Amino acid sequence: MTTLPPTPTRPVDDPDARAEAARLLRGGALVAFPTETVYGLGADATNEDAVARIFAAKDRPRFNPLISHVPTSDAAFALGQATAGAERLAAAHWPGPLTMVLQRHPGCPIAWLTSAGLETVALRVPGSAAARSLLAEADRPIAAPSANRSGRVSPTTAAHVAEELDGRAALILDGGPCPVGLESTVIDLSGDRPRLLRPGAVTREQIEALLGPVELAVEGDAITAPGMLASHYAPNASVRLDATERRPGEAFLDFGATVSDADADLSPSRDLLAAAAKLFAALRVLDRPGVATIAVAPIPTEGLGAAINDRLRRAAAPRS
């Protein structure tokens, strides 16, 4: 087996590091970088060869489209066709943890491989100022799925990226822990009615306050955006949901201090924002030798709890 050289890590706040990252991206290389949601594995979204390197590095199926990241709403709407609803959402939630699926503009330069051959593009303006600076310097849309092996737990620190993909990227930019800790909300605005494909920090309630009723994607729908696979975000251990006690061979992930012998607690005070930010890191810590199953206490389903439960259901789903 060929041993890959380790990937260098540099601070994202260093302008010289961002300039190097932008140069690498323009040259077709892969760069991992932090956003407010999770760390992304970036490549030039207009370069099919570069995008193919993402799929190879992640062992990701090519029918699973990628999100393209841009620094401004104007840049996004130059690639995807803005609707009235898209403009309302952009005004309220961009920059931020929201992805919109829009019809391609004629002549959109995003590679067909990036969008898995679909006539739509998934676009996001990240909330991280450092990420937007990198995108502006790269001067092209950057495809950036989470920087981990396909189906695995998403990375929320640079160390997580190195554990998953060391040697498979040219550079890792380190911005510390991601403050949101869950992938972006994905809303499809390419059809007659808005459809929520993946819940996230921008909640269904916030979207419906601007757009009215939103349809929900259901299992078995065509894959039109990331995060729709039934099994995803999975540790090596199996995951048991809505647990109220620890069984032999289990690690226990609590919420709200419900048991006395928990290995970790997402939030003893039942703060959903804190729980979301800790979720993926906690799953990684508990996914250790000798642990066959990670038992997870019940999480409320309102607001951001819908996104946390979505990730946990996919982590607990039967593995392909």
Side-chain angles (χ1 to χ4, degrees):
M1 180 182 295
T2 301
T3 300
L4 297 171
T7 301
T9 299
R10 298 185 64 184
V12 73
D13 290 336
D14 179 353
D16 290 339
R18 289 201 304 272
E20 179 187 2
R23 176 184 60 77
L24 288 166
L25 289 166
R26 289 193 298 271
L30 304 184
V31 172
F33 64 95
T35 74
E36 77 281 17
T37 57
V38 299
Y39 277 70
L41 182 63
D44 178 355
T46 69
N47 181 336
E48 190 163 272
D49 290 338
V51 173
R53 294 186 186 103
I54 289 180
F55 285 93
K58 286 175 58 70
D59 300 321
R60 181 184 176 99
R62 294 198 177 197
F63 58 76
N64 197 2
L66 305 177
I67 295 169
S68 294
H69 297 67
V70 291
T72 66
S73 298
D74 286 345
F77 293 143
L79 301 167
Q81 298 178 32
T83 64
E87 291 174 343
R88 286 197 294 273
L89 286 175
H93 296 295
W94 271 355
L98 177 70
T99 294
M100 299 189 217
V101 177
L102 304 173
Q103 289 289 337
R104 281 176 173 260
H105 273 304
C108 171
I110 289 175
W112 288 102
L113 180 59
T114 308
S115 54
L118 301 172
E119 293 285 349
T120 55
V121 286
L123 300 164
R124 182 161 95 89
V125 180
S128 163
R132 294 197 307 278
S133 293
L134 171 64
L135 296 170
E137 194 155 358
D139 194 30
R140 64 205 58 206
I142 299 299
S146 56
N148 56 277
R149 300 293 183 93
S150 184
R152 294 267 299 147
V153 179
S154 299
T156 55
T157 69
H160 296 162
V161 178
E163 288 171 15
E164 291 277 332
L165 296 176
D166 199 20
R168 296 190 173 207
L171 180 66
I172 299 171
L173 293 178
D174 187 351
C178 298
V180 173
L182 294 178
E183 297 85 356
S184 61
T185 304
V186 180
I187 183 79
D188 186 352
L189 300 173
S190 65
D192 295 333
R193 294 188 62 182
R195 194 161 67 105
L196 184 63
L197 304 183
R198 181 174 73 186
V202 178
T203 65
R204 178 185 181 183
E205 293 84 357
Q206 290 174 306
I207 294 171
E208 289 188 332
L210 293 169
L211 304 187
V214 169
E215 295 179 351
L216 299 180
V218 298
E219 189 172 340
D221 281 355
I223 304 297
T224 55
M228 295 181 70
L229 295 174
S231 176
H232 209 37
Y233 318 112
N236 292 313
S238 63
V239 176
R240 182 169 69 89
L241 304 181
D242 297 323
T244 56
E245 81 293 326
R246 182 206 300 268
R247 296 174 183 171
E250 291 185 338
F252 196 92
L253 180 56
D254 207 352
F255 176 78
T258 64
V259 302
S260 60
D261 60 346
D263 296 276
D265 196 321
L266 291 173
S267 174
S269 63
R270 301 181 67 81
D271 182 331
L272 290 171
L273 286 172
K278 288 178 63 176
L279 176 63
F280 289 142
L283 288 175
R284 285 178 176 273
V285 168
L286 299 186
D287 190 25
R288 58 181 185 258
V291 173
T293 302
I294 300 171
V296 185
I299 311 288
T301 59
E302 70 272 5
L304 187 54
I308 296 172
N309 279 285
D310 170 79
R311 303 312 190 272
L312 287 170
R313 282 193 300 272
R314 296 179 193 275
R319 313 292 169 81
S320 58

